[in-house]
C-alpha cells in the first residue's frame, strides 16, 4: 500500500497567516491527490482534487500543488473557520490511503 | 441536493456481525461508484471499501478483507456494508461517500456517519 505522510502533524497559527501543509507519498501517485478539511464531529469536506483543482464552492485562499510524491496545501490568509484538521488522500491505486492528518489550531 | 444518510451502527460484541446501510438521494445513484470510509475515535481517516456503479468491481482494505462485504441496490438507491467477525479495532464512525466521477477517486459527498462500537 502507498503510505501518505503529512507534516506537520499539528501546529498553531493566527488569523491572517499563510500556512502550508506537506504530504509525501511513499511512491509516485502522479497528480491523483486530494485534500480534505474536517471539523470536530463533522464529515470531511473535499477541498482540492487532482492535486491542484479547487472543488466548487471552496474559497480561493486554498490552493494545492505538487506531483509525483510531494504535495502541498496552502491557505493564503487564514480565516477563523479554517482551523480544522486536514487530510491528504491518494487515489492512484488501491488501497486508497489517507495521510495521518494535520491539526491546525489557533495560536 | 445530494444527501447520504447512514444507519445501522451500534454496540456489538467481538466476533459479532452488523450491517450498515446508506440511503442516497439528490443524484443518479446508479451512475456513481461508492465507498465506505471509517474513523476510529480520535484517529484519522481509513478507506474501507469501494464498489463500482454496477457492482462489477469491489475493493477492500487489507484490514477488513474476508470479513466485510460491500454491496448496493441501485433500485433502492442504497449502499450496504456487511461486517462479520468484528474486532475491537473495527470500532469507528463509518462514513458512506461518493466518488467524484468515474475517473476521479476523490470523495465529493459524505454522509454524517454511523458509530460502530465493538466491545464485550
Amino acid at each position: 500500500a502507498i503510505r501518505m505522510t503529512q507534516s506537520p502533524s499539528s501546529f498553531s497559527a493566527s488569523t491572517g497567516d499563510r500556512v502550508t501543509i506537506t504530504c509525501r507519498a511513499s511512491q509516485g501517485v502522479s497528480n491523483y491527490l486530494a485534500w480534505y478539511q474536517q471539523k470536530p464531529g463533522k464529515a470531511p469536506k473535499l477541498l482540492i482534487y487532482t492535486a491542484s483543482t479547487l472543488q466548487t464552492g471552496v474559497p480561493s485562499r486554498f490552493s494545492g500543488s505538487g506531483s509525483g510524491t510531494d504535495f502541498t496545501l496552502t491557505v493564503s490568509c487564514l480565516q477563523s473557520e479554517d482551523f480544522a484538521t486536514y487530510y491528504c488522500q491518494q487515489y492512484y491505486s488501491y488501497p486508497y490511503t489517507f495521510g495521518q492528518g494535520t491539526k491546525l489550531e489557533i495560536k | 441536493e445530494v444527501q447520504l444518510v447512514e444507519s445501522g451502527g451500534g454496540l456489538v460484541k467481538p466476533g459479532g456481525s452488523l450491517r450498515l446501510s446508506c440511503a442516497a438521494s439528490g443524484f443518479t445513484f446508479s451512475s456513481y461508484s461508492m465507498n465506505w470510509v471509517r474513523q476510529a475515535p480520535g484517529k484519522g481517516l481509513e478507506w474501507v471499501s469501494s464498489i463500482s456503479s454496477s457492482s462489477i468491481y469491489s475493493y477492500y482494505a487489507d484490514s477488513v478483507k474476508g470479513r466485510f462485504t460491500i454491496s448496493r441496490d441501485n433500485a433502492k438507491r442504497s449502499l450496504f456494508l456487511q461486517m462479520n467477525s468484528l474486532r475491537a479495532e473495527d470500532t469507528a464512525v463509518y462514513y458512506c461517500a461518493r466518488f467524484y466521477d468515474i475517473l476521479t477517486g476523490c470523495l465529493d459527498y459524505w454522509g454524517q456517519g454511523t458509530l460502530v462500537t465493538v466491545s464485550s
Side-chain angles (χ1 to χ4, degrees), chain A residues 17-87:
Chain A
D17 284 352
R18 177 185 178 92
V19 299
T20 297
I21 298 169
T22 297
C23 176
R24 174 163 290 175
S26 61
Q27 63 189 77
V29 298
S30 185
N31 64 343
Y32 296 101
L33 191 285
W35 289 97
Y36 301 86
Q37 177 193 68
Q38 187 180 33
K39 296 182 178 179
K42 300 294 187 182
K45 172 187 174 183
L46 177 64
L47 298 176
I48 287 170
Y49 59 97
T50 56
S52 60
T53 304
L54 208 60
Q55 170 67 333
T56 303
V58 174
S60 58
R61 62 181 180 273
F62 289 92
S63 63
S65 66
S67 184
T69 60
D70 294 306
F71 302 87
T72 60
L73 171 70
T74 298
V75 188
S76 61
C77 182
L78 273 175
Q79 303 299 301
S80 58
E81 61 265 31
D82 300 336
F83 292 95
T85 300
Y86 294 85
Y87 295 93

Side-chain angles (χ1 to χ4, degrees), chain B residues 35-110:
Chain B
N35 301 265
W36 289 99
V37 176
R38 69 184 180 183
Q39 187 169 35
K43 302 297 184 183
L45 301 169
E46 180 187 15
W47 170 82
V48 172
S49 183
S50 299
I51 188 168
S52 61
S53 58
S54 56
S55 302
I56 292 176
Y57 302 106
S58 60
Y59 304 90
Y60 298 91
D62 287 345
S63 58
V64 307
K65 202 173 293 182
R67 300 187 299 122
F68 290 11
T69 302
I70 191 171
S71 62
R72 63 191 296 162
D73 184 334
N74 285 343
K76 295 184 178 179
R77 306 171 62 84
S78 294
L79 177 71
F80 306 102
L81 186 67
Q82 177 66 43
M83 304 186 295
N84 298 331
S85 303
L86 282 161
R87 306 166 179 168
E89 54 264 36
D90 296 318
T91 294
V93 173
Y94 285 74
Y95 294 102
C96 162
R98 188 185 84 166
F99 272 134
Y100 183 86
D101 62 28
I102 194 170
L103 297 176
T104 309
C106 63
L107 308 172
D108 64 345
Y109 284 95
W110 299 61

